[in-house]
Amino acid sequence: MVVHSASDEETDRIFQALADATRRDILARAILEEQSVSALAGHYAMSFAAVQKHVAVLERAALISKHRRGRERIVQGNVSTLRTAAALMDAYEQLWIERANLIADVLAGEEGVNQ
Amino acid sequence: MTLISTRKDAATLTLTLVADFDASPDQVWQVWEDPRKLERWWGPPTFPATFTRHDFVVGGESRYFMTGPAGEKPRGWWRMDGIDKPHRLEFANGLAGDDGEPAPGVEPMEGHVTFEATDTGTRMTAVTHFVDAAQMETMLGMGMQEGMAQAIGQIDVLLAPAPLELEVSL
């Protein structure tokens, strides 16, 4: 499991960055296809500066990276960082699925339980 | 047991599991209330839990440890925040130090569990709310990763054909 590949602080930044619907949408678009900040800004009813701020939060969390192409700044999604965050949730999901199975085992040993 | 759904909400750090059991709400409730039953499922098979205290009243606390394959003994605690038998259960679950008492500076996660009677038994909905990623990592660091990694292989196979409606025959 890759859960411990990121420090607590890094992982907190990832979850904080993902806690906003606009940022999740920006990330989804950037993962699908790299694009300029201005192209991204065209999708939202907010100022260019506001979109830039969201992009900066995602960049600090290493969920996206930026590079220059001519006069444009191109945004690219970082899939491996997203996987680290998802791994934590996945780990707990698997733990609870396993617990549900074990509860069924406990119940199966009782009288009056149909299995 | 039929796993109805699991839902992971990264925005609110909430995990919800819904499962149906072929047993009455009273019987499903007992796997939480009776510490001898609880310790048969709370820890993964490779990290079985032992509850040394389980004060199942509102405000009451529990102490437990798990035993890992190398003899390691990560410790944890519960505090019962709400009990409405056999409908709803609310509890906090935190990390304990070597003395078995709650570790300072580590926030507990919150668990809300509901039990509803169905035509064939009981629907149990278990909601776990995490405080932050640091807590999620710390609690996982109780040594449960290995047990979960083992389970993932089997579960992936089971989940493959139908992710939302899964029959696990037991």
Side-chain angles (χ1 to χ4, degrees):
Chain A
M1 203 155 289
V2 293
V3 162
H4 290 281
S5 61
S7 75
D8 289 352
E9 206 178 308
E10 286 167 351
T11 319
D12 270 346
R13 274 200 294 271
I14 295 169
F15 278 106
Q16 279 157 17
L18 290 171
D20 179 272
T22 303
R23 287 200 287 273
R24 288 198 298 274
D25 195 67
I26 290 173
L27 178 62
R29 290 176 193 278
I31 282 175
L32 224 55
E33 185 183 18
E34 62 170 41
Q35 49 192 302
S36 66
V37 179
S38 44
L40 281 170
H43 294 293
Y44 309 102
M46 60 178 78
S47 68
F48 181 79
V51 173
Q52 262 184 322
K53 267 186 197 168
H54 283 310
V55 168
V57 173
L58 289 167
E59 193 177 15
R60 276 199 295 278
L63 283 163
I64 58 150
S65 54
K66 278 195 302 197
H67 60 272
R68 282 193 174 278
R69 184 185 294 153
R71 294 182 57 193
E72 289 194 314
R73 276 169 303 165
I74 304 297
V75 175
Q76 192 175 21
N78 186 346
V79 179
S80 66
T81 304
L82 193 59
R83 285 205 181 111
T84 304
L88 273 173
M89 272 291 190
D90 287 348
Y92 279 100
E93 180 187 34
Q94 298 307 333
L95 175 64
W96 272 100
I97 290 172
E98 190 174 24
R99 281 175 174 163
N101 279 316
L102 290 168
I103 287 174
D105 286 347
V106 174
L107 293 169
E110 295 178 16
E111 282 182 33
V113 178
N114 306 313
Q115 288 293 322
Chain B
M1 193 279 286
T2 305
L3 181 64
I4 303 301
S5 64
T6 59
R7 194 162 57 84
K8 295 172 283 182
D9 187 342
T12 58
L13 291 181
T14 303
L15 170 70
T16 304
L17 172 135
V18 184
D20 284 353
F21 296 96
D22 298 331
S24 69
D26 278 319
Q27 286 171 313
V28 181
W29 180 273
Q30 279 303 317
V31 307
W32 292 83
E33 179 170 351
D34 180 342
R36 300 292 81 80
K37 289 179 180 169
L38 173 61
E39 59 194 10
R40 287 169 62 194
W41 65 268
W42 180 251
T46 48
F47 275 82
T50 303
F51 278 74
T52 53
R53 174 175 159 193
H54 194 47
D55 195 8
F56 202 80
V57 295
V58 174
E61 297 194 4
S62 308
R63 299 287 184 269
Y64 68 94
F65 62 87
M66 300 193 289
T67 307
E72 63 269 44
K73 283 190 164 42
R75 296 171 183 277
W77 60 273
W78 284 20
R79 184 190 61 234
M80 306 311 303
D81 291 332
I83 296 177
D84 177 14
K85 186 177 182 175
H87 308 291
R88 184 175 169 87
L89 191 58
E90 297 180 8
F91 67 104
N93 171 214
L95 189 76
D98 288 340
D99 61 356
E101 293 304 304
V106 185
E107 288 287 306
M109 50 184 75
E110 301 287 335
H112 295 172
V113 191
T114 54
F115 308 83
E116 298 162 81
T118 64
D119 289 345
T120 55
T122 304
R123 173 158 296 182
M124 186 184 86
T125 303
V127 180
T128 308
H129 181 66
F130 305 97
V131 175
D132 56 28
Q135 175 207 43
M136 295 174 79
E137 292 200 11
T138 306
M139 294 294 285
L140 271 184
M142 289 182 80
M144 296 186 284
Q145 300 97 318
E146 188 186 333
M148 282 185 285
Q150 288 173 355
I152 285 168
Q154 307 157 10
I155 286 160
D156 279 354
V157 173
L158 293 169
L159 285 174
L164 285 179
E165 285 235 341
L166 164 65
E167 283 281 339
V168 182
S169 54
L170 284 162

